[in-house]
Amino acid sequence: MLLGNSVSFVMTTDRLVTVDVTDRMSTACRLLSAGSIHHLPVLDGNKLVGIISTTDLLRAGIGIDADEDESPVLDVGQDELDEALDIEGVMEKRLVTLHPKDTLRRAAELFAEASFNSLPVVDEEGELIGILTMRDLLRYILAADSGRAG
């Protein structure tokens, strides 16, 4: 019954970092290069319209270097980057999402079927309310296996 719980039980909501589709590309790169997140939901107002991952940056030819002791560094200048690319052109628009009532089993099936590592969680209106990452799911399974999950 471990995977029968809803994704709302495990998804990240409190530290959710997003960008607006009108933000500068350098803003998205700075957030992703900080090292703590690898998937950045893109909103148009409150509605989820895309997601940018570090892999998307690499596909767009944007290299980032994050050093633990220094600020993240882009391999191009911020102004040059913002002139060449915009968030809408880099983000993944073909989204696979979850509803908060979907089960962790459904999330695991989606992760197993595709080559992505995060699933945005949206309500009936398409508004982002959380994100479930492969890491979130694995941590939950490990905690449950050791008796720490609820």
Side-chain angles (χ1 to χ4, degrees):
M1 199 62 192
L2 174 69
L3 293 178
N5 287 324
S6 72
V7 297
S8 63
F9 187 68
V10 180
M11 70 184 184
T12 299
T13 58
D14 57 340
R15 299 176 316 275
L16 200 57
V17 178
T18 65
V19 290
D20 190 84
V21 70
T22 60
D23 285 341
R24 296 168 51 107
M25 192 65 218
S26 58
T27 300
C29 288
R30 188 175 60 255
L31 291 168
L32 285 167
S33 66
S36 62
I37 61 168
H38 304 284
H39 311 94
L40 189 60
V42 180
L43 305 179
D44 184 357
N46 291 329
K47 187 173 181 183
L48 179 71
V49 294
I51 194 163
I52 297 177
S53 70
T54 51
T55 304
D56 295 323
L57 296 183
L58 291 173
R59 276 193 209 110
I62 303 167
I64 55 175
D65 182 28
D67 186 343
E68 289 182 22
D69 299 328
E70 297 181 20
S71 297
V73 177
L74 299 173
D75 65 357
V76 296
Q78 288 186 10
D79 291 338
E80 178 184 350
L81 175 64
D82 290 332
E83 287 179 24
L85 297 169
D86 61 16
I87 287 177
E88 190 167 11
V90 174
M91 71 183 188
E92 177 58 57
K93 298 173 188 170
R94 295 169 296 168
L95 299 173
V96 176
T97 62
L98 293 168
H99 184 275
K101 292 182 182 177
D102 284 337
T103 65
L104 291 171
R105 174 172 297 288
R106 174 71 179 136
E109 291 168 350
L110 290 170
F111 283 135
E113 292 170 6
S115 61
F116 45 77
N117 294 306
S118 70
L119 290 163
V121 182
V122 296
D123 64 14
E124 290 78 10
E125 288 80 37
E127 293 186 8
L128 182 71
I129 58 172
I131 191 165
L132 180 72
T133 66
M134 179 73 76
R135 180 178 286 178
D136 294 332
L137 184 57
L138 290 173
R139 283 181 180 156
Y140 172 74
I141 291 169
L142 290 172
D145 186 57
S146 66
R148 292 188 308 245

